[in-house]
Amino acid sequence: MRTLISTAFISLDGVVEAPGGEPGYRNSGWTFKDVEFLPEAFDIKGREQEQSAAILMGRVSYEAFSPVWPDMEEFAHYKSVPKYVVSTTLTEDRLVSNWGETTILGSLDDVAKLKETEGGPIIVHGSASLNRGLSDAGLIDRYHLLVFPLLLGAGKRLFSGTDKDTQKLKLVEHAAYDNGLQLNVFDVVR
């Protein structure tokens, strides 16, 4: 069984929308304009690339990342790993040709089947809606949360508001940085 890891830049009040400057969100770019950059706070991102064997994302994140990430040196490893996009609307003809193998999955059931295959960890980048669905379906095994000392108010949330049974987490790694960022790595307790 493969490990599914959700990774997110998240505000203290749970917002994950537009951390890198995507248009259309009032506080767009909050990860780099509102908090001092400290390289050591982002070490987890390098480890994620080294350890991941595949990337999983939703259509919206794929459409945001695919024109940019294939040519970014800091994401070179991701070019070589398989990518999976969960979407009922994305078609093969809209996939980019310079980012390696990409497979469209039509449902969370397809994600569950992917987890049952052989291979290393699958990392979920961006994809707020997909993350909520994966969490509600019990498919996420680990969270890598880089928590920013910001309250953003409105915005897309990482966690759903679904009324469900308590889901316990175990803190397996944590760090606090001088710029106020906190790294929290949680395993989902089954």
Side-chain angles (χ1 to χ4, degrees):
M1 176 83 88
R2 299 176 80 168
T3 302
L4 189 61
I5 301 169
S6 171
T7 181
F9 293 151
I10 187 167
S11 68
L12 190 58
D13 58 348
V15 174
V16 294
E17 186 168 2
E22 301 83 0
Y25 175 61
R26 178 176 181 233
N27 293 313
S28 185
W30 50 269
T31 59
F32 60 84
K33 70 179 183 184
D34 294 321
V35 177
E36 175 192 2
F37 178 76
L38 291 178
E40 61 270 22
F42 297 90
D43 285 348
I44 186 74
K45 300 319 233 168
R47 285 190 285 144
E48 287 171 353
Q49 276 196 74
E50 292 169 8
Q51 297 168 2
S52 65
I55 300 174
L56 179 71
M57 64 199 103
R59 178 193 53 81
V60 173
S61 292
Y62 175 79
E63 289 175 344
F65 298 157
S66 65
V68 181
W69 280 23
D71 297 323
M72 293 180 73
E73 189 174 312
E74 57 266 37
F75 297 121
H77 174 72
Y78 286 147
K79 195 168 185 172
S80 66
V81 301
K83 275 133 315 267
Y84 298 92
V85 184
V86 181
S87 176
T88 57
T89 59
L90 185 66
T91 55
E92 296 282 333
D93 63 314
R94 291 177 38 209
L95 297 176
V96 298
S97 61
N98 64 334
W99 203 18
E101 176 189 344
T102 304
T103 303
I104 299 171
L105 304 176
S107 68
L108 294 180
D109 288 338
D110 291 338
V111 175
K113 291 174 189 169
L114 174 64
K115 282 188 63 176
E116 293 174 7
T117 63
E118 293 294 320
I122 303 165
I123 193 121
V124 182
H125 280 285
S127 309
S129 296
L130 176 59
N131 263 289
R132 291 189 297 271
L134 292 167
S135 177
D136 288 349
L139 295 173
I140 295 176
D141 301 298
R142 176 173 275 200
Y143 290 94
H144 290 182
L145 304 178
L146 197 54
V147 183
F148 283 69
L150 302 169
L151 300 175
L152 299 173
K156 292 179 186 174
R157 308 276 170 180
L158 182 64
F159 302 104
S160 80
T162 302
D163 185 14
K164 60 182 178 181
D165 291 338
T166 301
Q167 189 172 42
K168 294 181 182 178
L169 305 174
K170 179 182 178 186
L171 184 66
V172 295
E173 181 182 348
H174 62 90
Y177 303 96
D178 290 340
N179 61 358
L181 267 66
Q182 296 178 20
L183 170 65
N184 293 297
V185 176
F186 293 101
D187 281 344
V188 175
V189 177
R190 307 250 189 250

